[in-house]
Amino acid sequence: MTTEPSTSTRSEPDAVARILAAAATLFAEHGYDRVSMNQIAAAAAVSKANVFHHFSSKKELYLAVVRGACNAAERLRTLGEPGGPVSRRLPDYAEGMLRDMLEHDQIHRLMMRELLTDRDDRFDRDLAERVFGDTFARLVAILRSAQETGELRREIDPAMVATLLIGASVFFFQSREVLRHFPDVRFAQDPSGYSRMLVDLLLNGMAATAEPATRKIRKDAV
C-alpha cells in the first residue's frame, strides 16, 4: 500500500519558492539592510520559523536569491559542451547573460548596489565565493580549454577576457537608458546585437585585417 506524503511534505517546495519570491521582491524594492525576516515571512505567507527552517540567516536567503537570478549553470553547460568551437557558442552565451540581467532587472540592480556598499569583508567574500566565483571560474576554464586546443590565442589571460565580457554586459545593463540618447549609439535598444558585437570585438579586435566573427562562424559551420 502506497502512503501519500503529508500535506506539509508536499508543500515544502512551494514554501521555499514563496519565500524566495517574497525575498527577491522585498530586497529589490528596499535593499538588503531595510528588509527583515518578519517582513519576508509575512509576504510569503509562512511563519518566521519556517523561513529559518530553510535559510539559517538573512544573508543565506539573500545569497540564494542572487544565485537564482544569475541563472548561469545551463548557459555554461552549453558553452562548454564538446563539439565545435567555443567561438561559435560565445555570442549566445553573452546574449543569454545580458538577457538574464534585463529580465531580473530589480535583483541585478540590488546586486550592483550591494557590491558598491561598504560591508564587512566576509560578506564580500561570500558573494565572490558562493555566488559569482564558481560561474567566473567555469567561464575561465572553458576559455582556457579553447586556448589549449589552439582555437583562441594562448598569450591572452582568459580571466581578462571573462572580466571584459561580464563587465561590458554590466555596463550596458546599467547605462542603456542613457546610451539611447547618444545619436551614435544604435544598439541601446538591441541587447542581442550589442552582445554579438561585443563578442566579435573580443575575438577579433579592431584591426582591419581581423575577420568578422559572423564570417568565421559560417565557415566553421560548413
Side-chain angles (χ1 to χ4, degrees):
M1 179 177 178
T2 303
T3 303
E4 287 293 322
S6 68
T7 302
S8 60
T9 301
R10 289 198 305 267
S11 65
E12 285 293 292
D14 181 57
V16 172
R18 294 204 314 273
I19 292 167
L20 288 169
T25 299
L26 289 169
F27 284 144
E29 289 178 354
H30 305 293
Y32 176 83
D33 290 328
R34 296 177 61 191
V35 173
S36 71
M37 294 294 258
N38 282 328
Q39 290 173 299
I40 293 169
V46 300
S47 67
K48 184 177 178 180
N50 193 298
V51 177
F52 277 110
H53 172 70
H54 296 291
F55 304 97
S56 61
S57 67
K58 186 171 77 167
K59 184 172 77 171
E60 290 298 320
L61 177 52
Y62 171 74
L63 293 174
V65 167
V66 174
R67 278 196 300 270
C70 288
N71 193 31
E74 180 61 23
R75 288 197 309 273
L76 282 166
R77 186 197 65 75
T78 302
L79 179 63
E81 66 186 10
V86 168
S87 58
R88 183 161 47 188
R89 294 188 292 272
L90 199 57
D92 288 336
Y93 175 81
E95 182 181 351
M97 176 171 58
L98 183 54
R99 184 174 60 247
D100 279 348
M101 290 183 190
L102 297 172
E103 289 177 356
H104 297 91
D105 179 274
Q106 287 187 311
I107 291 298
H108 279 86
R109 289 196 182 281
L110 169 66
M111 287 162 53
M112 303 308 163
R113 189 163 68 242
E114 293 300 326
L115 290 172
L116 295 174
T117 300
D118 185 17
R119 297 194 180 280
D120 63 273
D121 187 60
R122 183 67 228 178
F123 196 100
D124 294 338
R125 192 180 310 131
D126 283 340
L127 277 173
E129 294 177 354
R130 299 169 57 187
V131 178
F132 307 118
D134 182 61
T135 298
F136 188 82
R138 290 171 63 191
L139 176 56
V140 170
I142 291 168
L143 295 172
R144 184 176 290 117
S145 178
Q147 289 177 311
E148 291 169 353
T149 62
E151 181 187 349
L152 300 178
R153 288 168 51 192
R154 292 175 182 264
E155 69 273 18
I156 301 298
D157 184 346
M160 181 65 176
V161 178
T163 299
L164 290 172
L165 181 62
I166 296 169
S169 298
V170 169
F171 176 79
F172 181 90
F173 167 75
Q174 292 185 303
S175 308
R176 67 190 186 283
E177 293 305 319
V178 174
L179 289 173
R180 69 187 180 89
H181 295 291
F182 295 178
D184 292 324
V185 176
R186 301 182 181 88
F187 48 77
Q189 302 300 324
D190 182 16
S192 175
Y194 175 85
S195 295
R196 292 177 183 277
M197 286 189 288
L198 169 60
V199 172
D200 191 0
L201 186 59
L202 284 174
L203 290 175
N204 297 294
M206 290 183 64
T209 55
E211 188 176 14
T214 51
R215 192 183 308 158
K216 292 180 71 175
I217 291 170
R218 284 199 296 270
K219 284 183 179 180
D220 291 331
V222 174

